[in-house]
Amino acid sequence: MKFERTVIEKLRQAQRIVFFTGAGVSQESGIPTFRDGPTSIWQHFDPEIYASVTGFDKNPTEVWEWYWDRRQSFKTLNPNAAHNVISAWQEKVQHVTVITQNIDGFHQKAGSHSVIELHGSLAMDKCRANGHSIVHDVNNSSKLQPMCIECGSLLRPDVVWFGETLPIAAYDQAEIMCFNCDVFICIGCSMDIYPAANLPYTASASGSYLIQVNPNPTDLNEVANCNLLGNAGEVLPALWQAVWEVDL
Ligand code: BJW
């Protein structure tokens, strides 16, 4: 894979890098994306039912069990080469931030630290009534929906559904990183979902060099300084090799 000289130089010189990831970064791990192609999640499951408070209130058991099934399948899957390269970049360069829209925890599983999770995480649950937060019990093999031990209301996964506000501290921190980075790399994001989709534009407007990695074009193509067309699990190891002149 060939890269323009400028991309290599920008990455070698960058002191502050942001990796911003969407569902596409986990696609090669076996996790379906949401809205591209016949295997994508929203082709088969209605987001109004499975990703909204209204849907949850109408049928909490169905929603809880759907997430339970996804949690079970994630346990059998692993981070891929793209997650590994991002983690290695964090080891190599001092100020590398990972911002993700994903709830799968695969960046952490690959060794990344201080990951900013914009849409929550399957590692946590919270209660419907009061938002009491609780670590998800991974050893509980029962599909039965648990109750909050503090207030007795139903538990739900601590993820962000449509119409819900993103965790404010996470979004604020993400924005600060975007204001201050030299290079921003957007990987596997459709750029359809806001406010997360604002972040690459914020970084670009703040003077950052913007790289996009995606096998398909998005609205960001026109703004990005460099569009790397391809799968993250192939493009990122090749980029690492080109920048550091060693294989990972
Ligand atoms: C590869 C690849 C490979 C494939 N390698 N790439 C402004 C305008 C209009 C609407 C809004 C607006 N601002 C807010 C809204 C409303 C709404 C919204 O954005 N709606 C859109 C439909 C327009 N946003 C919200 O509701 C958000 N909240 C909010 O705004 O709060 C304020 C508010 C409060 C009250 C009222 C109104 C506003 C919350 C959004 C929450 C999104 N939640 C989900 C589910 C999380 C839980 C779960 O996983 O179950 O988050 S939906 C889903 O989409 C998930 C993702 O994080 C998110 C983004 O998807 P992503 O990651 O981009 O995946 P895909 O599938 O879309 O794309 C994959 C990409 O990968 C593709 O480009 C492929 O080509 C590529 N790819 N293989 C690299 N191997």
Side-chain angles (χ1 to χ4, degrees):
M1 200 173 284
K2 279 269 181 205
F3 300 97
E4 281 174 32
R5 196 76 218 150
T6 323
V7 186
I8 307 297
E9 290 304 324
K10 288 281 179 191
L11 280 165
R12 277 191 192 142
Q13 289 159 10
Q15 293 186 0
R16 291 177 190 274
I17 303 175
V18 168
F19 286 93
F20 174 62
T21 62
V25 80
S26 295
Q27 185 267 338
E28 288 154 276
S29 291
I31 300 183
T33 56
F34 290 94
R35 46 184 75 73
D36 67 307
T39 57
S40 61
I41 293 177
W42 299 149
Q43 287 282 327
H44 302 276
F45 300 96
D46 182 350
E48 284 190 21
I49 297 174
Y50 296 102
S52 79
V53 173
T54 323
F56 179 80
D57 285 347
K58 275 193 193 142
N59 201 339
T61 308
E62 186 178 344
V63 176
W64 176 265
E65 289 185 353
W66 185 67
Y67 277 96
W68 194 88
D69 289 341
R70 283 174 75 199
R71 280 173 156 140
Q72 292 303 110
S73 84
F74 287 8
K75 277 188 202 168
T76 66
L77 304 172
N78 287 303
N80 63 56
H83 299 101
N84 293 338
V85 167
I86 294 169
S87 163
W89 228 298
Q90 252 189 343
E91 293 262 304
K92 181 109 182 154
V93 176
Q94 196 181 357
H95 300 292
V96 173
T97 303
V98 183
I99 305 172
T100 190
Q101 297 171 78
N102 299 341
I103 59 171
D104 55 34
F106 276 22
H107 286 298
Q108 293 91 331
K109 216 171 167 183
S112 282
H113 56 83
S114 320
V115 179
I116 300 175
E117 297 179 309
L118 295 178
H119 290 164
S121 164
L122 282 182
M124 302 297 292
D125 291 319
K126 66 179 179 183
C127 75
R128 168 67 182 99
N130 298 302
H132 291 129
S133 190
I134 179 167
V135 175
H136 178 72
D137 183 0
V138 284
N139 297 318
N140 184 0
S141 56
S142 162
K143 216 172 179 174
L144 272 181
Q145 185 163 22
M147 306 285 196
C148 176
I149 46 167
E150 290 197 50
C151 68
S153 80
L154 287 175
L155 285 190
R156 52 163 281 187
D158 192 358
V159 298
V160 181
W161 288 328
F162 286 106
E164 293 191 296
T165 322
L166 276 61
I168 294 167
Y171 193 78
D172 285 352
Q173 202 193 347
E175 261 195 333
I176 289 168
M177 297 304 166
C178 293
F179 292 138
N180 291 308
C181 62
D182 308 312
V183 175
F184 184 102
I185 311 178
C186 178
I187 305 164
C189 307
S190 60
M191 297 299 295
D192 284 345
I193 299 303
Y194 288 85
N198 285 324
L199 294 174
Y201 296 99
T202 303
S204 178
S206 306
S208 159
Y209 186 83
L210 184 57
I211 301 171
Q212 178 174 231
V213 180
N214 200 311
N216 300 303
T218 74
D219 287 350
L220 201 60
N221 274 58
E222 287 180 16
V223 179
N225 299 96
C226 170
N227 288 294
L228 301 175
L229 272 185
N231 289 331
E234 291 159 19
V235 173
L236 283 174
L239 193 58
W240 173 275
Q241 212 286 336
V243 172
W244 304 118
E245 294 177 339
V246 283
D247 286 326
L248 189 60

